[in-house]
Amino acid sequence: MSPNLLRLLFLLMIFISLSITSSLSTPSPADSPPYLWPLPAEFSFGNETLSVDPALTLIIAGNGGGSPIVRAAFDRYMGIIFKHASGRGSLLARIRFLRMVEYDITSLKIVVHSDSEELQLGVDESYTLMVSKKNEQSIVGAATIEANTVYGALRGLETFSQLCAFDYLTKSVQIYKAPWYIQDKPRFGYRGLLIDTSRHYLPIDVIKQIIESMSFAKLNVLHWHIVDEQSFPFETPTYPNLWKGAYSRWERYTVEDASEIVRFAKMRGINVMAEVDVPGHAESWGTGYPDLWPSLSCREPLDVTKNFTFDVISGILADMRKIFPFELFHLGGDEVNTDCWKNTTHVKEWLQGRNFTTKDAYKYFVLRAQQIAISKNWTPVNWEETFSSFGKDLDPRTVIQNWLVSDICQKAVAKGFRCIFSNQGYWYLDHLDVPWDKVYNTEPLNGIEDPSLQKLVIGGEVCMWGETADTSVVLQTIWPRAAAAAERMWSTREAVSKGNITLTSLPRLHYFRCLLNNRGVPAAPVDNFYARRPPSGPGSCYAQ
C-alpha cells in the first residue's frame, strides 16, 4: 500500500470516527493540553482509549526500515513503555496468549524511505504518526510511523512513547484520546546542549545519560566543550603529553571513549560537536608542552609567534577528525585577554616586526586556526567576540555562536553569516535564577523579519557550563529548563507564542519533568525559584 493511500485511508477513518462521536478536534486553549513535549507541528486526536499489547511487534518497511538504528531504538522504547507492564517475552506475555486477551494495538509499523544513515546538520527529522483502533469503522488499524530517514523515525518513536501511559488499575499500557494523527518536523535543524568537561570531569556513563535525556526532548546536537584553561582531559595521540593537563590520571577521555560517545549519540539521532577553544582558555595545554605558553607568567593566550602552536592545533584537529564526523567544529575564540602578549618580550618584538596590535594578533590567530579546521573539511564555529572584533575578515563559512549580546544573531545574519542563538541571560543553565518561563519565552528570531535572513539562524543551544556543576548535580541543573528551550526550537513559533503559557505549557512541562523522573533522569522541580534545588516540601511531582 502506498504511503499516500495509507494517509488517505487514515483520514477517512478519522472522518468516520468524527461523524460518529463528534469527538475528534484540533486542540484549542479550552481543551486539556495533549501531554506531549515538544508539541508536534500538526496533530488531531479523539476520545477513545486503546490498550497496547505488551508483546507489541515491529513491522518494518521501506529502504531504511531494517536499519540497526531503528531496531535498537524500538527495543529501547519498548523497555521504556512496558517498564511496569507484563514483560516482553515474559511468562505474563505468554499467559496473555493462552487467555486470548485482545489488545487494540498489537503492532507498530515503521516505514523509512531512505537507507542513508548519514547524520549531519539539516538531516530530515520529519515523521508522520498514526494510531487507531482496528474495528468495523476503521480500515487502517494499529500504529504506524512513516519517515524519510531513520532519524525521523527516532523522533516518531519518542512521540509514540509519550502517548503510551501505564494504567495502574488494569496494569496495562494505554493510549488516551485516540485516534491520533500527527505530522511533525522541527522548526530548527540545530537544537543543542553544551556540556563542559574541563571545569568538572564528567564520567562516560554520565555523558551517556545526558545524551539519552536529550533524545527525550528531541535535542540533536551535543556541544562538547572538552578542554579549557583548567584541564585538558582528552587523549591526543599526535601530541600525547597534552592530557598531562588533566586534573588527574583518572579524569581523562581516551580516543575509544570519545568514539563510543559519538556512536552512542548517533544511535539516538544526536550529533557531537567538539570544541577546542583558542587562543584563550588554553592554559592547561602548557602543562604537557610548556612552549605553548608565551612565558611562565603569561600562560594564555597561547603563543601566537610560534609555528609549533599551530602545529599542535593541527595535530589535535587531525586526531579529532577521525572521531567526530559532524561537519561543524567549534574553535572558541571568546574572552581573549591579550595584555600579557604585549608584556612578553619575544611576543612584543614579533608584534612590532609585523606592525601588529594585539587585536591584529588575535585576528591572525583565529583566522589561521579557522584555515586549519577548513583544511580538515570542517566548518568553523566561533563565539561572537570574533564577529564583533573582526567579522569582515572571518571566513564566510563561519557559524557565529551568540552568548553575550542579545542582537548578535541579528547583526551576523545581516552580514551573511549563519548563527546559533545561546543568549546567556536566558539559555545559560548555570544561571540558576532564570525560571522556566524566561527560558521558554526567549525567541531566537527576535528582530529578524526577513525570511531569507531567518534561515541563517540554524538554531539555538542551551549551555551547561561546569564551574559549579559536576556529576552530583548536572542532570538536575539541565532539566527541566532545557526542555523549555527544546520546545521553542522544535515546535512552531505560533504554537509556543500564543495563549497563556501557564495554561498551555506549564501543565505539559510538569508532566514531562515527571516523565524524565520516571525514566531515571533526576530532573528538578519546575517551579523552583533556583534551579536544581529539591522541593521545598511534600507534594506531587505533577504540581512542583
Side-chain angles (χ1 to χ4, degrees):
M1 183 179 295
S2 73
N4 288 336
L5 180 57
L6 182 64
R7 278 193 288 269
L8 180 61
L9 292 174
F10 189 85
L11 291 172
L12 177 61
M13 178 277 300
I14 284 180
F15 176 78
I16 294 171
S17 176
L18 178 60
S19 64
I20 293 172
T21 67
S22 298
S23 64
L24 187 63
S25 64
T26 299
S28 69
D31 295 324
S32 61
Y35 290 102
L36 297 173
W37 197 281
L39 201 65
E42 299 178 34
F43 59 95
S44 59
F45 57 87
N47 71 349
E48 295 179 338
T49 298
L50 307 183
S51 59
V52 184
D53 191 341
L56 190 74
T57 57
L58 172 64
I59 300 173
I60 57 173
N63 295 327
S67 164
I69 293 175
V70 172
R71 291 182 177 274
F74 176 80
D75 289 340
R76 283 198 311 275
Y77 278 107
M78 292 310 98
I80 290 171
I81 293 169
F82 296 104
K83 180 170 60 176
H84 295 293
S86 54
R88 293 173 56 75
S90 69
L91 175 62
L92 288 177
R94 290 192 290 274
I95 291 173
R96 171 203 58 85
F97 175 78
L98 294 173
R99 291 180 178 176
M100 300 302 291
V101 176
E102 291 190 6
Y103 291 92
D104 299 311
I105 304 296
T106 58
S107 65
L108 174 62
K109 183 176 183 179
I110 300 180
V111 183
V112 180
H113 297 300
S114 172
D115 62 358
S116 174
E117 295 180 354
E118 184 178 9
L119 181 60
Q120 289 292 352
L121 183 65
V123 68
D124 189 341
E125 297 173 89
S126 66
Y127 67 92
T128 300
L129 171 61
M130 298 173 283
V131 182
S132 66
K133 182 178 182 179
K134 191 170 185 178
N135 55 31
E136 59 272 14
Q137 286 88 32
S138 173
I139 303 172
V140 182
T144 300
I145 295 170
E146 183 181 347
N148 290 323
T149 71
V150 293
Y151 305 110
L154 295 185
R155 308 305 174 225
L157 273 166
E158 174 57 39
T159 301
F160 177 76
S161 75
Q162 292 187 24
L163 291 178
C164 296
F166 182 70
D167 184 283
Y168 282 83
L169 295 178
T170 63
K171 296 186 179 180
S172 64
V173 171
Q174 299 184 345
I175 294 177
Y176 301 105
K177 294 188 175 183
W180 283 91
Y181 180 72
I182 297 172
Q183 283 188 302
D184 200 11
K185 63 180 180 180
R187 181 183 173 203
F188 291 106
Y190 183 110
R191 306 179 305 283
L193 167 67
L194 177 147
I195 61 170
D196 173 6
T197 58
S198 173
R199 276 54 178 260
H200 280 99
Y201 175 84
L202 296 175
I204 298 298
D205 285 347
V206 174
I207 295 177
K208 286 184 174 182
Q209 288 171 4
I210 292 170
I211 292 169
E212 187 84 64
S213 68
M214 290 172 65
S215 71
F216 301 152
K218 298 186 173 74
L219 294 173
N220 71 346
V221 179
L222 179 73
H223 176 174
W224 189 2
H225 187 87
I226 304 176
V227 301
D228 208 290
E229 63 188 76
Q230 290 85 0
S231 72
F232 195 114
F234 195 80
E235 181 183 19
T236 308
T238 303
Y239 290 93
N241 290 340
L242 280 170
W243 71 353
K244 287 184 177 181
Y247 285 126
S248 72
R249 59 179 177 171
W250 299 283
E251 295 170 290
R252 290 173 167 174
Y253 303 103
T254 66
V255 168
E256 293 77 16
D257 290 336
S259 297
E260 170 59 15
I261 287 170
V262 171
R263 184 206 65 80
F264 185 89
K266 182 179 180 180
M267 294 296 287
R268 287 148 183 83
I270 295 171
N271 278 300
V272 181
M273 178 177 71
E275 179 179 358
V276 173
D277 196 344
V278 293
H281 291 280
E283 180 179 342
S284 63
W285 299 33
T287 304
Y289 295 96
D291 283 350
L292 294 170
W293 292 333
S295 70
L296 290 178
S297 60
C298 177
R299 299 189 174 197
E300 63 179 20
L302 295 171
D303 196 326
V304 67
T305 72
K306 296 175 182 175
N307 284 329
F308 176 65
T309 301
F310 297 96
D311 290 342
V312 172
I313 293 172
S314 182
I316 294 171
L317 268 60
D319 289 341
M320 286 187 166
R321 198 63 177 110
K322 299 171 185 175
I323 301 169
F324 299 101
F326 190 39
E327 66 197 73
L328 302 182
F329 188 89
H330 209 302
L331 290 166
D334 62 313
E335 298 182 315
V336 179
N337 184 341
T338 59
D339 287 349
C340 76
W341 273 353
K342 60 186 177 185
N343 296 323
T344 303
T345 302
H346 76 275
V347 178
K348 185 177 180 180
E349 292 173 352
W350 182 88
L351 293 171
Q352 291 171 343
R354 284 170 165 72
N355 197 27
F356 272 8
T357 64
T358 53
K359 182 178 178 180
D360 294 329
Y362 168 39
K363 178 178 75 172
Y364 166 85
F365 198 117
V366 168
L367 298 185
R368 189 166 173 182
Q370 281 197 333
Q371 290 310 308
I372 293 171
I374 290 168
S375 73
K376 303 186 189 311
N377 200 30
W378 260 322
T379 297
V381 183
N382 283 99
W383 293 108
E384 67 176 57
E385 289 95 323
T386 60
F387 172 77
S388 299
S389 299
F390 41 85
K392 64 182 179 63
D393 298 307
L394 292 172
D395 188 278
R397 289 164 283 191
T398 305
V399 178
I400 308 300
Q401 183 162 8
N402 149 254
W403 73 278
L404 191 59
V405 180
S406 60
D407 64 350
I408 280 294
C409 278
Q410 185 178 345
K411 293 176 178 177
V413 299
K415 298 295 184 182
F417 291 102
R418 290 180 292 170
C419 193
I420 298 168
F421 178 88
S422 302
N423 188 291
Q424 66 160 343
Y426 305 104
W427 283 13
Y428 268 30
L429 299 173
D430 57 314
H431 294 193
L432 302 182
D433 59 346
V434 179
W436 78 272
D437 57 313
K438 298 292 186 184
V439 178
Y440 191 84
N441 284 327
T442 299
E443 172 51 51
L445 297 184
N446 271 349
I448 305 172
E449 305 300 332
D450 185 332
S452 64
L453 297 182
Q454 289 179 345
K455 292 178 181 178
L456 294 177
V457 179
I458 62 174
E461 180 177 289
V462 285
C463 299
M464 183 62 265
W465 293 108
E467 285 89 345
T468 63
D470 65 0
T471 294
S472 66
V473 295
V474 66
L475 279 159
Q476 51 265 57
T477 311
I478 293 171
W479 304 107
R481 291 182 303 158
E487 179 157 287
R488 173 66 59 170
M489 291 185 281
W490 177 278
S491 306
T492 66
R493 186 171 183 176
E494 295 73 22
V496 297
S497 301
K498 67 181 181 181
N500 183 343
I501 63 171
T502 303
L503 300 176
T504 60
S505 303
L506 182 56
R508 292 187 299 108
L509 185 55
H510 277 138
Y511 190 90
F512 184 71
R513 179 251 172 164
C514 299
L515 177 146
L516 291 174
N517 287 175
N518 287 330
R519 294 183 181 186
V521 180
V526 175
D527 298 329
N528 280 358
F529 182 79
Y530 286 105
R532 84 179 176 211
R533 287 188 178 178
S536 57
S540 167
C541 174
Y542 298 96
Q544 293 182 328

